[in-house]
Amino acid sequence: MASAFTDSLNDYTRQLAATATRANRLALENAESMFGVQLKTLEKSITATSGFFGEIVQSQEPATLLPKGAQLARDNLARWTSASQQVVGLGLKASEAFGELARQPLAAAAQPDAAKR
């Protein structure tokens, strides 16, 4: 009797550890993807902005570059908006994967119950 309980507990613990490991790996991969998207966007925005600042420094009349600066601000905003949408999309995909991960043990637990009936 105790042996059956111990075996059952060992199986449950092993399954829990495997599920936790998969969840951690999924969370880290998702965080890495999100960070990568944001880092690429930051890099593009910094490159564009530093180029614009270089033009301001070299320009005889910086006020003539005002329309270009406004366009740069719009482009940077569009880049960040796109990156935010990508991050939300990655978050939704990750939450679906977490949901599937949570359903797997429940589906496995329901199968033996169905076999008993």
Side-chain angles (χ1 to χ4, degrees), residues 5-114:
F5 175 75
T6 303
D7 291 343
S8 176
L9 183 62
N10 284 341
D11 289 341
Y12 176 74
T13 304
R14 192 175 304 115
Q15 182 183 14
L16 180 64
T19 301
T21 301
R22 286 192 299 266
N24 283 336
R25 183 173 24 92
L26 181 63
L28 287 174
E29 289 171 357
N30 185 50
E32 181 182 357
S33 297
M34 288 179 171
F35 184 69
V37 167
Q38 292 174 339
L39 190 61
K40 287 177 188 176
T41 303
L42 179 64
E43 180 183 5
K44 289 177 185 176
S45 294
I46 287 174
T47 302
T49 303
S50 63
F52 177 69
F53 285 152
E55 288 180 30
I56 289 176
V57 170
Q58 293 176 356
S59 176
Q60 298 295 330
E61 292 188 34
T64 60
L65 296 175
L66 197 55
K68 190 171 184 177
Q71 182 61 42
L72 175 67
R74 282 191 295 271
D75 291 345
N76 284 345
L77 182 60
R79 267 193 289 278
W80 281 108
T81 301
S82 175
S84 296
Q85 290 173 348
Q86 288 177 356
V87 165
V88 168
L90 289 171
L92 289 174
K93 286 181 185 177
S95 67
E96 289 172 1
F98 279 124
E100 184 60 34
L101 193 61
R103 278 190 289 275
Q104 287 174 354
L106 296 176
Q111 288 175 349
D113 290 341

